[in-house]
Amino acid sequence: MDKVKCSILRREVLPGIVAGQAGPDDREAVKNLMVQTAAWLQSKGSKQWHELLAGEDRHGMEEAIGRGEVFIFKQDGIIAGMAILQQHASNWDRSLWGDEGHESSVYLHRLCINRDFQGKQLGNAILHWAQQDVRFPGKDRIRLDCIASEPSLNRLYSGAGFTYKGPSASGEFSLFEKIQPETSLG
């Protein structure tokens, strides 16, 4: 698969925190951030991302970095946050969303924030950046899912302007979508 083609319209997501695509030199830092996030989630009583603590990566991070789908947000050379923006629906996405709308959608996965940057509203800033400041040719919406029983995650996404599209068939996940503004589509 070819490397993701995108246009980054604005790089600074918060003062001093700059967006870019992760490269091979970022692999270890990205992995460490995901494991740190999984451990933090576990400390809060969540089993979300628990497979990362066992060394399992269901999103194929190495390959995703190679495809240019991993976006990192750095301050002074330190990764403050990251997210995957996939142009093609994975089997997971298809199982949650069904057969419709995949050609026009980008899928946001693995949004995580370095705990040293918590409380700075970086998660909201990354979501805003993904909606307003990066464009993928032929794509007009961003889709994501989260655990339905995590009210803070559901509030984060609805508060960032994503529309709740309903529960997954199992009811375990909430589905959210945001149509990007027509004036700035890729």
Side-chain angles (χ1 to χ4, degrees):
M1 188 177 289
D2 293 332
K3 191 161 179 144
V4 167
K5 292 180 176 82
C6 70
S7 300
I8 297 177
L9 307 175
R10 183 176 59 96
R11 292 207 178 263
E12 191 170 65
V13 297
L14 285 175
I17 299 180
V18 179
Q21 287 172 294
D25 293 344
D26 299 308
R27 285 184 172 138
E28 194 63 31
V30 165
K31 178 183 172 187
N32 290 340
L33 177 56
M34 290 191 329
V35 169
Q36 175 199 66
T37 301
W40 176 77
L41 287 166
Q42 186 178 53
S43 78
K44 299 290 185 188
S46 174
K47 293 185 190 262
Q48 188 177 6
W49 299 10
H50 66 279
E51 74 280 357
L52 291 168
L53 298 175
E56 183 184 334
D57 178 15
R58 294 182 185 165
H59 282 84
M61 190 57 61
E62 296 258 342
E63 296 83 7
I65 288 173
R67 290 188 303 266
E69 296 174 336
V70 179
F71 291 82
I72 55 175
F73 305 87
K74 287 185 174 182
Q75 183 175 44
D76 299 326
I78 297 169
I79 296 180
M82 63 152 290
I84 299 173
L85 294 171
Q86 294 176 196
Q87 285 193 76
H88 302 285
S90 66
N91 290 338
W92 172 259
D93 298 318
R94 290 181 185 286
S95 74
L96 292 177
W97 289 91
D99 295 326
E100 300 298 318
H102 298 296
E103 292 304 315
S104 61
S105 299
V106 170
Y107 293 86
L108 188 145
H109 292 288
R110 297 289 195 203
L111 171 64
C112 50
I113 306 301
N114 182 325
R115 302 320 314 152
D116 293 338
F117 290 84
Q118 71 183 21
K120 299 181 185 301
Q121 298 298 310
L122 182 56
N124 282 322
I126 290 171
L127 290 170
H128 178 80
W129 177 86
Q131 295 172 53
Q132 300 292 327
D133 298 314
V134 63
R135 291 290 171 262
F136 300 89
K139 307 296 183 178
D140 69 355
R141 68 196 65 214
I142 298 174
R143 288 178 165 178
L144 58 88
D145 64 88
C146 70
I147 295 176
S149 62
E150 294 285 343
S152 60
L153 282 176
N154 286 267
R155 280 193 306 272
L156 171 68
Y157 297 128
S158 62
F162 284 82
T163 301
Y164 176 70
K165 301 302 281 186
S168 64
S170 69
E172 190 177 351
F173 299 95
S174 295
L175 305 177
F176 288 91
E177 182 177 80
K178 174 72 175 179
I179 305 295
Q180 294 178 300
E182 286 186 38
T183 56
S184 58
L185 292 177

